[in-house]
Amino acid sequence: MTGISIHELGVAFSAKDGRVIAVDGVTQEVPERGFVSIVGPSGCGKSTLLSVIAGLYAPTSGHVEVGGRRVTGPDRAVGVMFQEDSTLPWKTVLENVRFPLQVAKVPKSEQLTRAQQAIDLVGLGGFERRHPAELSGGMRQRVALARTLAMRPSVMLMDEPFAALDQQTRLLLGAEVLRIWRETHQTVLFVTHDISEAILLSQQVWVMSYRPGRIIDVVDVDLPEDRDASVVATPAFNALQNRVWEVLQAESMRGFAQENAVPASGVPAS
């Protein structure tokens, strides 16, 4: 069992003006082999929640279980992909994808096999000897995805991996992620600001409130499992998008109002 269980999770940070509650009382489940996306206003704690699940932050309260095991730190069964371009410029595509396998001391012959399989899976066959500077932004993100897949994690955590790309490339890569998910049967939790992307990719979308981050709506995506980017033009897709936007718009406006509130001094809060 490789699902994700989140139990009454809370995360707080110390700041100059006091204690900031980033995540508060989150209890949710991502089923084994499920694909769930999280959307929410900027600063609502989406990335913080993902980092706790990855074992990179310790929660203030509550806990997370992955595959029935309590998360206490990073786990090789959990792959993490961030939005930043993390390719190593001095290494080729093949060397980039092999690198974490080398760190993990996987036998060399297996490194090459697994790296090549991951490269082929993301559609980069024939580019093994290219360096990142010779690739487009979308291709570099494919390299990062292949590098994560080569470790063969049972759970994938993806934090806005396509945020820096244009909309057309995002849709194309999203379709590739769906295809790979169907082939690998991994459990995926995907953070994005893009409502369309969340609905296109997911079986379920969680909507987070403005800080403190809570899950305020859970939207089941009742679209065909074998969907592709063409589904965005359908009435069913638009209805789901409108539902998520109605909730998200209210929270975004609340966050904007709080961040721009004018205190008694008459100076807008920074």
Side-chain angles (χ1 to χ4, degrees), residues 14-89:
S14 296
K16 290 181 180 179
D17 54 351
R19 191 166 179 261
V20 175
I21 301 174
V23 178
D24 183 39
V26 172
T27 297
Q28 290 293 333
E29 300 272 344
V30 182
E32 182 177 14
R33 300 184 179 183
F35 197 127
V36 172
S37 287
I38 306 175
V39 298
S42 294
C44 73
K46 300 185 298 295
S47 295
T48 299
L49 177 58
L50 213 69
S51 294
V52 171
I53 297 169
L56 302 176
Y57 290 166
T60 307
S61 59
H63 69 279
V64 176
E65 295 176 5
V66 173
R69 300 186 306 275
R70 193 160 178 151
V71 174
T72 57
D75 186 334
R76 286 180 182 169
V78 179
V80 186
M81 185 177 172
F82 298 104
Q83 63 176 284
E84 294 84 5
D85 181 359
S86 58
T87 52
L88 303 174

Side-chain angles (χ1 to χ4, degrees), residues 27 97 107 173 217-218 239 255:
T27 297
V97 177
L173 282 180
D217 199 6
V218 175

Side-chain angles (χ1 to χ4, degrees), residues 44-209:
C44 73
K46 300 185 298 295
S47 295
T48 299
L49 177 58
L50 213 69
S51 294
V52 171
I53 297 169
L56 302 176
Y57 290 166
T60 307
S61 59
H63 69 279
V64 176
E65 295 176 5
V66 173
R69 300 186 306 275
R70 193 160 178 151
V71 174
T72 57
D75 186 334
R76 286 180 182 169
V78 179
V80 186
M81 185 177 172
F82 298 104
Q83 63 176 284
E84 294 84 5
D85 181 359
S86 58
T87 52
L88 303 174
W90 60 90
K91 290 183 178 289
T92 64
V93 168
L94 181 60
E95 290 167 345
N96 263 286
V97 177
R98 278 184 65 194
F99 182 66
L101 298 170
Q102 293 173 309
V103 173
K105 301 188 185 303
V106 173
K108 186 175 181 180
S109 59
E110 188 178 348
Q111 289 176 25
L112 294 170
T113 299
R114 286 166 61 171
Q116 189 62 56
Q117 287 174 344
I119 288 169
D120 292 340
L121 188 60
V122 302
L124 284 178
F127 291 88
E128 291 85 352
R129 296 182 183 277
R130 299 287 183 90
H131 285 81
E134 302 175 271
L135 306 176
S136 67
M139 293 174 78
R140 288 196 294 273
Q141 284 301 80
R142 286 175 186 257
V143 175
L145 179 57
R147 187 172 55 204
T148 304
L149 291 170
M151 292 298 291
R152 296 180 179 171
S154 54
V155 173
M156 284 280 285
L157 305 176
M158 307 181 78
D159 190 0
E160 299 194 68
F162 312 137
L165 305 177
D166 63 84
Q167 189 65 21
Q168 181 179 358
T169 304
R170 289 179 74 147
L171 283 172
L172 292 172
L173 282 180
E176 285 298 291
V177 167
L178 261 183
R179 176 185 62 79
I180 292 166
W181 169 65
R182 294 186 191 113
E183 290 186 28
T184 60
H185 306 295
Q186 293 166 316
T187 302
V188 179
L189 188 56
F190 189 99
V191 166
T192 179
H193 274 99
D194 191 310
I195 298 173
S196 297
E197 186 174 62
I199 296 170
L200 175 63
L201 298 179
S202 314
Q203 296 173 311
Q204 191 175 78
V205 177
W206 299 349
V207 184
M208 286 189 76
S209 67

